[in-house]
Amino acid sequence: MKMDRAEWAGTGAALLFHAVLIGALTLSLAQVASVPEPPSMEVEFVEDVGLTPAAPQSVAVPPPPSQAPEIGKAEPTEPVPTIQPVRTPSITPAPARPQPPAKPAPRMSRIGDDFLKGIRQDAPSKSAAPAQASAATVSPSAMAGIVQAIRRQVQPCADRQVNPGEGASRIRVRLRLQLLRSGRLRVPPQVLGTSGVDDENARYEERVKDLAVATFVGCAPLTGLPPELYETDSGKGWSDFIMNYNLP
Amino acid sequence: MPTVEASADLMSPLNLFLQADVVVKTVMIGLLLASVWTWAIIFTHALRLRRINRQTDRFERDFWATDDIDAFHARRSEDKLPIAVVMAAALDEWRRSTKTATVDRAGTRERLASRMNAAVAAELDRLSDRLNILATVGSVAPFVGLFGTVWGIMRSFTAIAGANNTSLAVVAPGIAEALFATAIGLFAAIPAVIAYNRLTHGLDRLEAKLSRFADRFHATLSRELEVEAVTGH
């Protein structure tokens, strides 16, 4: 096959084109393709209702500086106590409420200075508060572990329960468990409330409540729960917490 | 982050090629050569067609502007342009047919037409040389690439089965290097198909241009025959 000059030139151009392309792909485009991986995310399955872990504590920290804007913000945190109506209402609103009217008035004109002062003065108490909070709370992962351990242990009892009727499995029962250090129930589980009740399954509500209580009573004592988390500094641990129950 | 750099390096074309099976490697090399060949043909033909079109327009303009066709032909006798070849064929036939004492006008017209048509066809045949390669690459390269991919995936599945691990980190590189064969196949085929259509269209237009010139020149020579017949008798 005879090639003329134009064909040689065309072949040379094609070779050059391919060399450049492969070089570009190897050197730069391959690097562009390497999107850095996002940091691995730790996913934890935590019971939606249970011990009050770090969240309410950390939200409760802003009120101590006692500054008007932050007090204003603190109000949305009020719904948080509804998760744990037993303990929190007496703690958070008490320091928060009396302070706001006292300080904003004289500090309105010099926000900058007061703001800095406030931080300096409150710094020690601020740093102390989270330290206590972290010592007093159960981390979400530990909480999830406790919940899983309890679930595992009560599963056989839950499996034995007979479903009273159609729709009953949609009923969720909130139970308050008060445990002794040995894992026995201090008092029978208290039913705090139910959800998922509709016209169809309303007649089973009481039955499901009983079944829920029976499940936990039947499989007590609960073993293998971490003793160091039985009670923390604030008194919260698996000694007293809330779980959800529904029929399998 | 060394792991990320390593994975990026792993996915570079060169590494994908080097890690591939020998069959896939052969397919890749073949496809790469086909791609180089395709682009060589594309560059050569595209430039040539453009140049010929430009020069043909200029030639035609000069030709119809000239008064003395013989002198024009003498001037452009070395020209290798298709249109010049058509003109030369027509003039050659004209001279041959009219050098005898009695001129067969109908026969001369017929011979002129067929000589010019033959010249046009021969020139187009010459110009369309190797375009069939583009058509072949365009239709076959994806299949060849697919063959490489199928082979590579078969091999990597075998390897995965041997490793007893189906995590993405184990599966992905083998699949990626196998798919690279299809990528090269498409890389070769897509420009080939586009260029084939484009160049064929360009050649069709050139053919139409040459045919128009041949018809017009044939008409001119035919008129000349009649004039000579009138003046000769």
Side-chain angles (χ1 to χ4, degrees):
Chain A
M1 190 167 53
K2 212 165 66 178
M3 288 171 69
D4 62 15
R5 212 177 59 179
E7 282 171 329
W8 278 115
T11 308
L15 279 171
L16 190 71
F17 168 66
H18 281 78
V20 168
L21 193 69
I22 292 171
L25 282 171
T26 307
L27 296 176
S28 68
L29 294 187
Q31 297 295 325
V32 171
S34 66
V35 179
E37 287 179 10
S40 61
M41 187 188 294
E42 195 178 331
V43 179
E44 295 169 339
F45 295 97
V46 183
E47 186 69 8
D48 52 350
V49 178
L51 287 178
T52 311
Q57 300 275 358
S58 60
V59 174
V61 169
S66 66
Q67 291 171 13
E70 294 187 18
I71 295 302
K73 275 187 177 176
E75 284 189 4
T77 64
E78 283 185 344
V80 171
T82 60
I83 298 171
Q84 274 265 337
V86 186
R87 301 171 186 278
T88 42
S90 63
I91 301 169
T92 40
R97 286 286 166 94
Q99 288 173 0
K103 298 191 177 177
R107 292 184 180 181
M108 282 299 283
S109 57
R110 299 177 63 191
I111 292 171
D113 289 349
D114 292 341
F115 182 70
L116 289 172
K117 262 185 204 168
I119 286 175
R120 281 190 206 113
Q121 285 165 2
D122 295 335
S125 63
K126 232 182 177 179
S127 60
Q132 279 184 351
S134 62
T137 56
V138 182
S139 72
S141 58
M143 182 62 208
I146 291 170
V147 168
Q148 288 305 321
I150 293 175
R151 275 190 187 286
R152 231 180 3 259
Q153 290 179 50
V154 301
Q155 196 63 49
C157 298
D159 291 343
R160 278 201 294 274
Q161 309 293 0
V162 180
N163 195 326
E166 198 176 340
S169 55
R170 289 202 299 275
I171 300 176
R172 283 167 70 89
V173 182
R174 287 179 71 217
L175 288 167
R176 181 179 176 195
L177 295 178
Q178 289 175 285
L179 299 169
L180 294 169
R181 199 174 277 279
S182 62
R184 294 182 187 283
L185 293 165
R186 187 186 298 151
V187 292
Q190 292 172 271
V191 175
L192 298 180
T194 53
S195 59
V197 179
D198 51 33
D199 293 343
E200 188 188 5
N201 59 19
R203 62 181 185 277
Y204 303 126
E205 187 179 356
E206 290 306 315
R207 177 75 185 130
V208 174
K209 281 181 187 175
D210 293 343
L211 289 174
V213 172
T215 297
F216 286 94
V217 170
C219 275
L222 303 169
T223 56
L225 302 178
E228 67 274 12
L229 297 176
Y230 175 70
E231 260 185 338
T232 52
D233 294 348
S234 66
K236 294 168 187 172
W238 52 267
S239 61
D240 183 357
F241 70 101
I242 295 165
M243 277 195 79
N244 279 331
Y245 168 88
N246 61 339
L247 282 167
Chain B
M1 281 187 286
T3 52
V4 171
E5 282 171 13
S7 67
D9 195 39
L10 207 68
M11 297 299 282
S12 81
L14 207 60
N15 273 329
L16 286 175
F17 170 73
L18 290 174
Q19 289 158 12
D21 181 48
V22 64
V23 176
V24 184
K25 264 183 192 163
T26 312
V27 167
M28 286 182 185
I29 290 174
L31 288 173
L32 203 65
L33 288 177
S35 177
V36 171
W37 200 6
T38 298
W39 278 97
I41 293 169
I42 292 172
F43 284 138
T44 309
H45 277 70
L47 290 176
R48 183 190 289 162
L49 201 60
R50 219 175 107 187
R51 180 175 52 81
I52 287 175
N53 266 319
R54 210 176 45 236
Q55 292 181 352
T56 299
D57 288 343
R58 200 184 305 147
F59 182 96
E60 212 176 343
R61 206 172 47 241
D62 293 348
F63 179 81
W64 295 116
T66 189
D67 293 330
D68 189 352
I69 290 177
D70 283 326
F72 184 82
H73 177 235
R75 238 180 10 253
R76 310 290 291 255
S77 60
E78 294 300 312
D79 215 326
K80 298 289 182 198
L81 269 180
I83 195 168
V85 174
V86 172
M87 180 196 73
L91 287 179
D92 182 51
E93 183 55 41
W94 169 266
R95 282 182 193 130
R96 281 190 191 186
S97 298
T98 54
K99 72 180 175 189
T100 52
T102 54
V103 177
D104 176 8
R105 291 199 298 275
T108 303
R109 283 196 190 99
E110 213 169 285
R111 283 194 295 275
L112 277 172
S114 62
R115 273 295 298 272
M116 282 197 285
N117 283 339
V120 168
E123 284 304 300
L124 281 170
D125 203 33
R126 186 175 64 83
L127 287 174
S128 61
D129 185 30
R130 290 181 195 163
L131 280 188
N132 59 330
I133 291 166
L134 292 186
T136 306
V137 169
S139 55
V140 171
F143 292 113
V144 176
L146 197 62
F147 166 69
T149 295
V150 169
W151 186 275
I153 288 181
M154 275 165 55
R155 179 175 159 270
S156 60
F157 274 141
T158 314
I160 291 161
N164 286 326
N165 187 353
T166 54
S167 73
L168 201 59
V170 174
V171 178
I175 307 284
E177 70 195 38
L179 285 173
F180 191 50
T182 300
I184 301 180
L186 293 175
F187 175 76
I190 292 170
V193 173
I194 294 173
Y196 178 76
N197 289 334
R198 180 83 194 141
L199 291 174
T200 308
H201 175 66
L203 282 178
D204 285 347
R205 288 182 61 188
L206 184 66
E207 184 183 11
K209 200 181 279 183
L210 291 179
S211 295
R212 277 200 306 276
F213 171 78
D215 289 345
R216 200 173 162 190
F217 193 34
H218 182 264
T220 308
L221 291 177
S222 182
R223 251 193 329 269
E224 194 68 21
L225 269 178
E226 281 178 17
V227 171
E228 280 192 9
V230 170
T231 54
H233 291 281

